[in-house]
Amino acid sequence: MRILVQKYGGTSVAGLDRMKQVEARVKKGLAEGFKVVVVLSAMSGETNRLLGLARQWSANPDLSECDALVTTGEQVSVTLFAMLLKDAGIKCRSVMGFQIPILTNNNYGRARILEIDNAKLLDMLDEFDVLVVAGFQGVSCHGRLTTLGRGGSDTTGVALAAALSADVCEIYTDVKGVYTTDPNMCSTARKLDRISYDEMLEFSSMGAKVLQIRSVEFAKKYNVPVRVRSTFCDDPGTLVTQEDELMEDVLVSGIAYDKDQCRITVFNVMDCPGVAAAIFSPISDAGILVDMIVQNTSRDGRTDMTFTVSRTNLEKTLEILSRDNKDIGAVEVQHDLNVCKVSVIGVGMRNHSGVASMMFTCLRNENINILMISTSEIKITCLIEEKYLELAVRALHDAFGLDRAGGDRVC
Ligand code: ADP
Ligand code: ASP
Ligand code: MG
């Protein structure tokens, strides 16, 4: 049995006209001899609408109920779409996450997939030509509904493709593929024909929401070829795949940005062994991801510690810090929401220096101050003031020649 997994994002199912376009693509897959597993998101805006309803009761609504609430968005999409296919005479059925089941841990709002039993799915695929599966949702070992984090339908798609050894996982969205930067922010952004799993991981972790990071982790781990393409045109899109030598030839493949950031500074903590652990362990125990960290030089046995977390985690982080204030000896905690991250990404950086200085020079030429810096083998990130974000993205895109095919190649 040849299986094709196709995941469609919120804009692709926002209304019956668009669902008709999805229907045409599914029919094409069937005509090519595949059994098709279609993973759908909620209609665009629906998850936000539901979360807005939950926040009418409280700023921090119960997370397990929130998950059960937002899974209804995907339930609406898959049932409506299955009706459309049945009317067209296609043998299909809708499938919720718990019916497979997609088993997750109970980290509500950001659950991780633990296991997908493919036996039931394969049985269903014997009986039906198309399965219309609700993205984003799973079920915990306690039988509660869970969700996989924003953008989590990408992960459902890739995880199902891995579990079913599908030929490919196609991710259909509102842009033609993965670009050198967000095409909605930079008009000269260029679509990439291919990108390595590692680069895509950096793009996603640095804020490019075209693929959720966990979907790329799955794709890399299980070697699933992922093709990102548009629902609304026939462009072949971008293949996310294993790295090859040609990819290393390109110094920088793109620019990513992340607005969901804030900077926290803890002033005047004691400068002694164990302080970093005392600050960051409770934050990490609360499931909060800390990214950039800078410790100032010591003055009279005291120092300042500055780090970034996502805006959604700001309140929780401040609560933890004020609870633990005595233990870390901090005098004051300040935070800043007017910041964002901009990153330059490329596997070619592994063997070539000079990218960091090009980035810093470009930002200097635009008179943009760098607040913090972090690096990995294939990425350099700067924290800057949010008001300069678009300017920084466009200037960096230009400086690295990303509008030209091949960009700046390694010499
Ligand atoms: P969907 O609802 O289909 O899952 P998303 O909104 O989650 O779509 O992701 C697609 C969006 O990702 C695009 O509309 C684009 O604005 C944004 N994006 C950010 N960076 C990139 C990039 N490098 N390439 C393509 N799209 C990007
Ligand atoms: N509907 C969910 C969201 O808006 C999941 C997804 O679209 O991938 O985040
Ligand atoms: Mg998405």
Side-chain angles (χ1 to χ4, degrees), residues 62-73:
D62 180 88
L63 288 178
S64 59
E65 299 304 343
C66 253
D67 271 9
L69 173 70
V70 293
T71 56
T72 61

Side-chain angles (χ1 to χ4, degrees), residues 95-322:
V95 189
M96 305 307 142
F98 76 87
Q99 293 172 317
I100 297 175
I102 295 179
L103 200 67
T104 72
N105 63 14
N106 61 0
N107 189 1
Y108 299 109
R110 279 193 339 133
R112 291 190 90 97
I113 296 177
L114 301 175
E115 199 187 316
I116 298 179
D117 182 2
N118 67 7
K120 230 179 185 173
L121 277 171
L122 289 170
D123 281 351
M124 288 187 217
L125 281 170
D126 271 339
E127 192 181 342
F128 299 97
D129 292 327
V130 179
L131 298 180
V132 189
V133 181
F136 183 48
Q137 54 177 259
V139 61
S140 75
C141 343
H142 307 299
R144 303 292 310 260
L145 297 180
T146 54
T147 64
L148 308 177
R150 297 309 303 268
S153 301
D154 297 335
T155 302
T156 310
V158 178
L160 288 179
L164 293 167
S165 308
D167 283 27
V168 64
C169 178
E170 297 179 330
I171 302 280
Y172 286 93
T173 184
D174 57 356
V175 289
K176 283 187 196 161
V178 180
Y179 282 69
T180 46
T181 193
D182 186 347
N184 290 321
M185 177 166 291
C186 179
S187 59
T188 55
R190 194 173 40 82
K191 190 186 65 99
L192 301 166
D193 294 332
R194 290 178 327 138
I195 184 168
S196 71
Y197 292 125
D198 283 338
E199 278 175 313
M200 197 61 234
L201 278 173
E202 293 286 10
F203 262 91
S204 296
S205 70
M206 289 300 113
K209 64 175 184 160
V210 61
L211 282 180
Q212 196 202 37
I213 183 162
R214 285 190 190 150
S215 70
V216 192
E217 286 167 357
F218 258 101
K220 183 179 174 190
K221 186 164 172 194
Y222 297 101
N223 207 5
V224 180
V226 173
R227 190 169 283 284
V228 180
R229 52 190 305 192
S230 165
T231 309
F232 310 108
C233 73
D234 277 329
D235 192 285
T238 303
L239 184 66
V240 187
T241 182
Q242 304 268 15
E243 183 177 330
D244 62 32
E245 280 165 16
L246 273 180
M247 290 176 179
E248 272 215 47
D249 246 18
V250 180
L251 187 58
V252 165
S253 38
I255 314 291
Y257 67 88
D258 189 351
K259 293 202 252 187
D260 181 26
Q261 290 292 309
C262 62
R263 178 171 59 153
I264 298 178
T265 304
V266 189
F267 289 97
N268 264 312
V269 289
M270 288 173 296
D271 190 13
C272 60
V275 168
I279 295 177
F280 296 114
S281 300
I283 296 175
S284 124
D285 291 346
I288 297 170
L289 209 76
V290 171
D291 186 18
M292 304 168 117
I293 303 178
V294 172
Q295 180 177 341
N296 277 358
T297 36
S298 175
R299 300 164 258 98
D300 307 322
R302 298 239 156 205
T303 187
D304 306 329
M305 200 77 90
T306 304
F307 57 95
T308 57
V309 294
S310 72
R311 288 182 195 177
T312 30
N313 284 321
L314 173 64
E315 275 184 37
K316 215 164 159 192
T317 311
L318 293 178
E319 251 170 53
I320 293 169
L321 288 171
S322 76

Side-chain angles (χ1 to χ4, degrees), residues 7-11 40-48 51 70 73-74 135-137 147-156 212:
K7 176 262 168 179
Y8 293 88
T11 41
L40 300 185
S41 290
M43 293 187 187
S44 85
E46 180 62 6
T47 309
N48 286 343
L51 287 171
V70 293
E74 272 69 15
F136 183 48
Q137 54 177 259
T147 64
L148 308 177
R150 297 309 303 268
S153 301
D154 297 335
T155 302
T156 310
Q212 196 202 37

